[in-house]
Amino acid sequence: MSTRIFGSGIRRREDPRLITGTATYTDDLTLPRMVHAAMLRSPHAHARITSIDTSNAAAAAGVVAVYTHADTVGALQPTPCAWLLPDSDLKVATYHGLAKDVVRYVGDLVAVLVAEDRYAAEDALELIEVDYEPLPAVIDPEQAAKDGAPQLHDEIPRNQAFHWTVAGGDIDAAFEQAEVVVSDRIIQQRLIPNAMETRAALASYTTATGELTLWNTTQNPHIVRFLMSGVCGLGEDKIRVVAPEVGGGFGSKLAVYPADFVTVFCSMRLGRPVKWTETRSENYQATTHGRDHVQQVELAAKKDGTITGLRCTVYAGMGAYLSTAAPGIPTILHGLMLSGPYTLPAVKEDVYGTYTNGTPVDAYRGAGRPEATFMLERMMDLLAAELEMDPVDVRKKNLIPKFDDGHEVITTLTYDSGDYPAALDKVLAHADYAGLRATQAKGPINGTYLGLGLANYVEMCGLGPSQVAGAIGFQGGLWESAIVRFHPSGKVHVFIGASPHGQGEETTFAQIVSSELGVDPNDVKVFHGDTDMTPMGWGTYGSRTTAVGGAALALTARKIRDKAKVIAAHLLEAAVEDMDYEDGKFFVKGAPDQHKTITDIALMANVAWNMPEGVEAGLEASTFYDPPNFTFPFGTHLAVVEVEAETGVVTLTRYIALDDCGPQINPVIVEGQVHGGVVQGIGQALWEEAVYDEGGQLVTGSMLDYALPRADMLPDIEVLSTVTPSPHHPIGVKGVGEAGTIGSTVAVYNAVLDALRPLGVTSIRMPLTPERVWQAIRQAKG
Ligand code: MCN
């Protein structure tokens, strides 16, 4: 394979249209006869609907229709949950498109109104009269599990959606024989994903043909089509789902949503195109949130720092209903990662998924893995403090040594490859860790304390294989597909089943084809996000697009190369075995001057004037690739902070991120992905939280109240890497889309707590706002 294009930081071809405002998002689309939907959402966290009167609204100027639950009976099936976790006593509450009788979170859909324009729709929405009888609400996932807590669903006692466990080794013996035990109670607060584009749907149903086209802000149009067919009762063959430009998702556009189904329902009823675009307030209330764990964690170890066991109980808030992938996140994606990059002889985790009166929770960048890494890495620092060891030494004592073809951990996963000690050492050397510790040892300067926070992580991504998906209850496959098509002039079209929405695969996938076949990357166009145009695929999430879809593409390009070699041999009157290939040129071994380029062959294959006997015309191939295992990227992050004891203000002065995602197709894109991921992780540590009041009202209901990170709050992120190829991936790559998020929250948290160690502070609830830090210092002082 050529290394010229692979590994080169060429500019993202997506960017010109994105930064010049010429990209087309769902809300930009307009169709003839199009009408607009607005959604009436519950203002209560929990209430019984005693009556709904839509008559005034229906009579208002410009209003075309108003629908409530009763109208949808028989036409709209409940919103499905697609991760049916086995061995967990999973109880899926019915999630109606429009609420029936009871609303269970602020933002729950109550009615939809369709009008000739958006303004008329929003105005008339206020004329729908709903009488509610408020009910007690519960937001905290642990409280929700207690006897006497408000009950969300009659048929689901103690609000328990599931109870899942992971166990390995003799955990009781580990704790009975422990020389030292450290523990903590950690709150992984709820987060709001905040994609730049809110969600939107434009549904166009043609009554005469029974066909539906849905433009949708989704990370997985094929999954939407599949589930839409069940919910709306249309054949999959009659549905086309298009994800036009999608302005980020960060996991939140993985789920399928009631509002999308309801928009389709309206279009089917009216026989007209219906557009719905979420407002930012709706987005905060009704697009899925992330995290929301209460974690009780204990670590057993020997006095020399060797870990002997990890035991934890987690209450994971699910919100009012189980969103599409929600049950798998605090379990499979979290519990199975508890060994991290360490040798852990015993582990036991109980995860209780509980229904609460919050917005449904689902994937949010990292999805389960940051929460697992946090527990482990926090315990590492607490253990180091207890044993008066340096946090680096405790980690080194337990790190799995370098391996390059499989390593099984106690949670039953087999990591593909890793060199965790090398990652740690590189970060320590780059940062001058010893120097920083020496500075710290001199003590605070003017009441400002220096703190260093480390996080080693390994994550599972490249979600697949499908056999595993079946075993863990994921109601879909996890393979990916690609088609490569050469046109007569040598230009190439690539069609992929995955659906990037900001990650840059239009660029990197062209680089893969270019590297494999020697064509100019500018001659390769990558199509995605349209179920009528692209082959089936399971979507972009879990940092799987390159690990799975990229593999499908590389293998497809190799099929093309094999066919091209046969044609070249025929044209050069040589035997196929005598042919060689390099950088897009096919030649007889030893005679590189006499060659055929891939462009020559594309022309011949397409005109087919002189083809070898038995070889079909055309130069096109496809692959459905089901990986043999996940890929396991890893890394080490180090945060350096200064904490002002008088005010509690935390300043992040340095951030070093080393992420190993195998060979990098495009280092500039990788760096961008790491930057984005790191900032999301830092946001959780320091600023972000979805806050509900006791009655279940979302207090942080707008961007004014929800503290998103801004560039001026951040230092330059120092991005490093090591390169450890995945042994089972055709081009060795692992995912990187979430990598930055996995370790960054706990790295920053550890740094702040490291700074506060001399003051006796050992635990603070995130986010580490000045007020919380200041309070913790005061309390520690007594
Ligand atoms: N890449 C590379 N070399 C590698 C690995 C990856 O050059 N060794 C490139 C890829 O080809 C791709 C990018 O890095 O251009 C990210 O690829 P990958 O790790 O395959 O991740 P996905 O494309 O599957 O993206 C999903 C991931 C997730 S799960 C979240 S959440 C997230 C993220 O990507 N959401 C994002 N990054 C995001 N970036 C943007 N702009 N917007 C989002 O919503």
Side-chain angles (χ1 to χ4, degrees):
M1 179 174 50
S2 160
T3 50
R4 254 178 330 140
I5 297 302
F6 192 103
S8 135
I10 57 173
R11 285 178 187 257
R12 292 188 359 146
R13 61 174 56 169
E14 291 87 344
D15 289 346
R17 65 175 193 262
L18 294 175
I19 61 177
T20 56
T22 43
T24 304
Y25 296 85
T26 301
D27 192 51
D28 293 321
L29 298 166
T30 300
L31 294 177
R33 299 177 63 244
M34 185 174 88
V35 283
H36 298 259
M39 306 285 167
L40 185 73
R41 296 183 178 277
S42 167
H44 295 281
H46 199 188
R48 195 171 302 285
I49 300 171
T50 51
S51 70
I52 306 183
D53 183 351
T54 59
S55 52
N56 287 340
V63 172
V64 176
V66 188
Y67 300 115
T68 64
H69 174 79
D71 299 299
T72 63
V73 173
L76 211 52
Q77 297 307 310
T79 306
C81 170
W83 201 329
L84 304 180
L85 200 63
D87 306 321
S88 68
D89 196 19
L90 181 77
K91 294 196 169 60
V92 182
T94 308
Y95 193 4
H96 290 296
L98 295 171
K100 182 187 174 204
D101 306 333
V102 177
V103 286
R104 297 183 174 87
Y105 68 97
V106 170
D108 210 351
L109 259 184
V110 176
V112 58
L113 184 147
V114 183
E116 294 293 345
D117 70 52
R118 176 92 194 249
Y119 298 99
E122 295 289 344
D123 287 347
L125 207 58
E126 293 175 12
L127 302 176
I128 302 176
E129 288 165 28
V130 188
D131 284 329
Y132 295 99
E133 176 195 323
L135 297 168
V138 61
I139 291 293
D140 181 287
E142 192 178 14
Q143 296 303 325
K146 295 211 161 122
D147 288 338
Q151 295 294 296
L152 270 81
H153 304 279
D154 291 343
E155 67 287 9
I156 303 177
R158 294 190 335 286
N159 298 315
Q160 188 175 298
F162 58 83
H163 172 204
W164 180 87
T165 53
V166 58
D170 190 342
I171 195 71
D172 294 333
F175 277 86
E176 276 156 26
Q177 292 156 22
E179 292 172 354
V180 50
V181 173
V182 288
S183 65
D184 199 6
R185 181 182 157 82
I186 299 163
I187 310 289
Q188 298 284 336
Q189 76 273 31
R190 255 179 190 260
L191 301 175
I192 298 181
N194 279 293
M196 275 215 248
E197 181 201 21
T198 59
R199 294 192 325 94
L202 168 55
S204 179
Y205 179 76
T206 309
T207 314
T209 59
E211 287 178 345
L212 169 77
T213 302
L214 174 70
W215 289 267
N216 195 203
T217 50
T218 175
Q219 299 176 202
N220 27 249
H222 292 273
I223 292 184
V224 171
R225 182 181 61 173
F226 181 37
L227 297 181
M228 187 66 70
S229 71
V231 173
C232 297
L234 284 171
E236 243 185 313
D237 59 318
K238 301 274 189 196
I239 305 176
R240 174 183 176 204
V241 178
V242 184
E245 205 72 73
V246 176
F250 309 110
S252 70
K253 291 173 184 165
L254 181 167
V256 292
Y257 287 89
D260 298 338
F261 297 128
V262 167
T263 306
V264 168
F265 164 81
C266 293
S267 179
M268 290 175 71
R269 268 294 154 96
L270 299 169
R272 293 177 71 173
V274 178
K275 180 155 83 177
W276 165 72
T277 302
E278 200 180 45
T279 64
R280 184 59 69 178
S281 310
E282 270 188 293
N283 177 262
Y284 268 40
Q285 291 180 358
T287 285
T288 53
H289 292 177
R291 315 279 189 259
D292 201 16
H293 290 194
V294 177
Q295 308 173 323
Q296 189 64 46
V297 199
E298 292 176 286
L299 183 85
K302 293 188 194 159
K303 278 196 180 128
D304 67 355
T306 308
I307 300 172
T308 52
L310 180 76
R311 188 160 61 189
C312 10
T313 303
V314 171
Y315 288 90
M318 295 285 106
Y321 307 96
L322 292 182
S323 181
T324 316
I329 291 165
T331 52
I332 306 297
L333 295 179
H334 167 83
L336 298 187
M337 286 316 306
L338 283 178
S339 193
Y342 304 108
T343 301
L344 215 70
V347 68
K348 169 93 198 288
E349 184 182 48
D350 284 277
V351 182
Y352 297 91
T354 54
Y355 288 105
T356 70
N357 294 107
T359 300
V361 165
D362 208 311
Y364 176 65
R365 206 168 190 169
R369 289 148 287 167
E371 298 94 309
T373 303
F374 197 107
M375 285 163 55
L376 200 52
E377 290 300 307
R378 186 61 203 137
M379 287 300 109
M380 286 290 173
D381 267 27
L382 290 176
L383 181 62
E386 182 72 21
L387 297 172
E388 296 187 353
M389 288 172 75
D390 189 283
V392 169
D393 297 333
V394 170
R395 287 174 168 84
K396 283 197 166 170
K397 189 121 217 138
N398 295 286
L399 274 182
I400 297 166
K402 180 179 189 305
F403 61 99
D404 53 24
D405 199 8
H407 178 90
E408 192 175 334
V409 290
I410 192 77
T411 56
T412 71
L413 292 175
T414 301
Y415 297 169
D416 55 353
S417 58
D419 190 352
Y420 312 135
L424 177 59
D425 284 340
K426 190 165 175 180
V427 166
L428 298 176
H430 172 90
D432 183 20
Y433 182 81
L436 287 166
R437 283 283 179 215
T439 307
Q440 186 187 40
K442 289 182 192 153
I445 299 171
N446 298 329
T448 297
Y449 290 74
L450 181 69
L452 308 181
L454 267 174
N456 291 322
Y457 76 89
V458 55
E459 61 149 327
M460 88 210 248
C461 72
L463 299 186
S466 303
Q467 212 180 2
V468 172
I472 59 178
F474 184 72
Q475 301 297 296
L478 282 173
W479 46 266
E480 280 306 323
S481 61
I483 296 172
V484 175
R485 182 176 299 154
F486 271 78
H487 300 298
S489 61
K491 307 275 182 190
V492 187
H493 278 174
V494 169
F495 303 88
I496 57 169
S499 195
H501 46 281
Q503 292 85 353
E505 269 93 353
E506 288 173 32
T507 307
T508 52
F509 277 23
Q511 287 179 268
I512 292 177
V513 173
S514 168
S515 306
E516 294 289 336
L517 292 169
V519 287
D520 186 328
N522 293 318
D523 289 343
V524 183
K525 185 167 178 193
V526 179
F527 294 85
H528 58 86
D530 183 339
T531 57
D532 266 12
M533 189 194 279
T534 62
M536 176 70 195
W538 290 97
T540 289
Y541 46 85
S543 307
R544 62 189 301 277
T545 307
T546 312
V548 188
L553 181 58
L555 294 176
T556 310
R558 287 173 194 177
K559 286 180 187 169
I560 297 258
R561 202 202 289 168
D562 289 345
K563 179 171 178 180
K565 205 183 225 183
V566 174
I567 299 170
H570 174 71
L571 296 177
L572 294 170
E573 296 177 357
V576 177
E577 309 78 68
D578 294 337
M579 294 297 293
D580 233 340
Y581 167 84
E582 215 176 293
D583 280 353
K585 290 180 183 149
F586 297 85
F587 51 90
V588 183
K589 280 181 186 133
D593 287 349
Q594 281 188 17
H595 63 256
K596 295 287 173 192
T597 65
I598 188 79
T599 313
D600 301 331
I601 293 161
L603 180 61
M604 179 51 73
N606 275 287
V607 296
W609 291 336
N610 182 14
M611 293 290 277
E613 210 178 313
V615 175
E616 286 177 4
L619 197 57
E620 174 169 336
S622 69
T623 304
F624 291 82
Y625 177 78
D626 205 342
N629 191 2
F630 304 97
T631 65
F632 294 88
F634 61 90
T636 299
H637 287 203
L638 177 72
V640 183
V641 300
E642 288 174 2
V643 185
E644 205 179 70
E646 274 294 300
T647 59
V649 168
V650 173
T651 307
L652 186 59
T653 56
R654 280 184 79 185
Y655 196 92
I656 298 149
L658 183 149
D659 298 277
D660 188 325
C661 57
Q664 300 182 2
I665 302 166
N666 186 320
V668 173
I669 289 182
V670 166
E671 189 172 341
Q673 287 291 311
V674 170
H675 277 189
V678 163
V679 172
Q680 286 186 248
I682 296 172
Q684 178 177 3
L686 295 181
W687 303 297
E688 293 186 45
E689 179 168 21
V691 180
Y692 286 93
D693 68 14
E694 283 187 3
Q697 288 295 327
L698 181 61
V699 177
T700 49
S702 78
M703 280 189 169
L704 283 175
D705 316 299
Y706 187 89
L708 275 179
R710 295 193 313 257
D712 65 353
M713 297 150 105
L714 298 157
D716 276 346
I717 296 163
E718 300 164 52
V719 176
L720 310 176
S721 59
T722 52
V723 175
T724 309
S726 174
H728 67 72
H729 189 283
I731 50 177
V733 305
K734 305 179 177 186
V736 77
E738 293 160 292
T741 324
I742 313 289
S744 45
T745 304
V746 68
V748 173
Y749 185 96
N750 276 344
V752 175
L753 273 288
D754 180 63
L756 298 178
R757 240 186 102 200
L759 300 172
V761 178
T762 54
S763 187
I764 314 179
R765 198 187 188 290
M766 285 190 292
L768 304 176
T769 59
E771 186 194 354
R772 287 206 179 134
V773 172
W774 183 79
Q775 292 280 12
I777 295 170
R778 266 175 55 124
Q779 275 162 20
K781 273 187 190 158

